[in-house]
């Protein structure tokens, strides 16, 4: 599929609602279970999405769209979300993510992006030059990746309960 902003927004706008539908009201065992050492649970994924909403997508887009000579992208803190998850209820995190994403989508739409904007670049500390189209496409794919992660992590909670059916459940492999 070729990139378009409208197709990207189809996913970006829906992610908070999908995650809310998946997680709201579930018992702690579903949302705090993980896949083992050094893995995230569903609640931590939501907290990570909040951190990305605050420090990644729009912050980086603004840098790319700016006329500044220094267009260096800062690395994302990959540990802050653990504290956020620990200190907040899942319902608070879901609400905060929804509000932040609504604000991000509104801001993205207000940029009134033109085709030439999507090739504007900045420098990522590890992968070097990236453009706005790649950033927005990554935003979409990042959301989808974490939806998959949430589903997989939740499925793992019943791994030992499905017995021989595990052979037919790719999500458990």
């Amino acid at each position: 599929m070729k990139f378009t902003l409208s197709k990207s927004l189809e996913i970006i706008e829906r992610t908070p609602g999908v995650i809310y539908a998946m997680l709201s009201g579930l018992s702690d065992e579903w949302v705090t279970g993980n896949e083992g050492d050094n893995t995230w649970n569903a609640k931590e994924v939501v907290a990570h999405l909040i951190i990305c909403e605050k420090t990644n997508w729009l912050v980086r887009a603004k840098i790319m769209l700016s006329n500044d000579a220094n267009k260096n992208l800062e690395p994302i803190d990959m540990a802050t979300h653990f504290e956020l998850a620990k200190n907040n209820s899942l319902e608070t995190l879901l609400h905060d993510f929804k509000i932040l994403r609504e604000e991000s989508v509104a801001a993205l739409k207000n940029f009134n992006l033109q085709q030439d904007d999507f090739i504007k670049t900045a420098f990522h500390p590890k992968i070097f030059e990236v453009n706005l189209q790649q950033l927005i496409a990554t935003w979409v794919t990042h959301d989808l990746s974490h939806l998959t992660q949430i589903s997989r992590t939740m499925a793992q909670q019943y791994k030992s309960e499905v017995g021989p059916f595990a052979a037919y459940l790719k999500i458990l492999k």
Side-chain angles (χ1 to χ4, degrees):
M1 174 187 307
K2 289 284 188 188
F3 170 87
T4 67
L5 182 58
S6 63
K7 286 180 185 167
S8 298
L9 286 168
E10 289 176 15
I11 301 301
I12 292 170
E13 288 178 315
R14 285 172 172 77
T15 301
V18 171
I19 292 175
Y20 181 86
M22 287 177 73
L23 300 178
S24 181
L26 293 181
S27 65
D28 281 347
E29 290 173 297
W30 284 116
V31 299
T32 61
N34 62 32
E35 298 175 274
D37 292 340
N38 300 313
T39 64
W40 299 356
N41 62 46
K43 186 177 176 187
E44 292 165 341
V45 171
V46 177
H48 167 73
L49 291 168
I50 289 170
I51 297 301
C52 288
E53 217 57 38
K54 291 179 177 180
T55 65
N56 190 351
W57 312 115
L58 281 184
V59 171
R60 290 177 170 192
K62 288 175 185 176
I63 291 169
M64 290 177 178
L65 293 168
S66 76
N67 292 321
D68 293 345
N70 177 10
K71 289 190 175 191
N72 293 316
L73 306 177
E74 295 294 321
I76 303 301
D77 184 338
M78 295 301 290
T80 304
H81 67 277
F82 293 117
E83 248 345 92
L84 186 64
K86 182 179 165 187
N87 294 325
N88 290 278
S89 71
L90 176 63
E91 295 302 322
T92 296
L93 295 172
L94 291 169
H95 175 265
D96 291 353
F97 177 52
K98 176 185 179 287
I99 298 302
L100 289 167
R101 180 56 64 90
E102 286 171 354
E103 292 170 357
S104 293
V105 167
L108 185 61
K109 289 178 178 179
N110 285 335
F111 287 154
N112 194 25
L113 298 170
Q114 304 303 308
Q115 200 58 41
D116 287 349
D117 292 322
F118 293 109
I119 59 172
K120 292 183 177 178
T121 62
F123 291 93
H124 185 279
K126 292 186 180 176
I127 54 177
F128 306 110
E129 190 174 67
V130 293
N131 66 39
L132 184 60
Q133 176 180 312
Q134 293 165 333
L135 178 73
I136 295 171
T138 300
W139 189 356
V140 170
T141 307
H142 181 264
D143 277 10
L144 293 169
S145 175
H146 283 301
L147 288 169
T148 301
Q149 181 184 17
I150 290 168
S151 296
R152 188 186 66 241
T153 300
M154 291 172 69
Q156 290 295 323
Q157 304 316 301
Y158 265 17
K159 185 175 185 175
S160 63
E161 304 300 322
V162 299
F165 288 110
Y168 300 103
L169 301 168
K170 290 180 182 182
I171 197 167
L172 296 178
K173 296 194 179 8

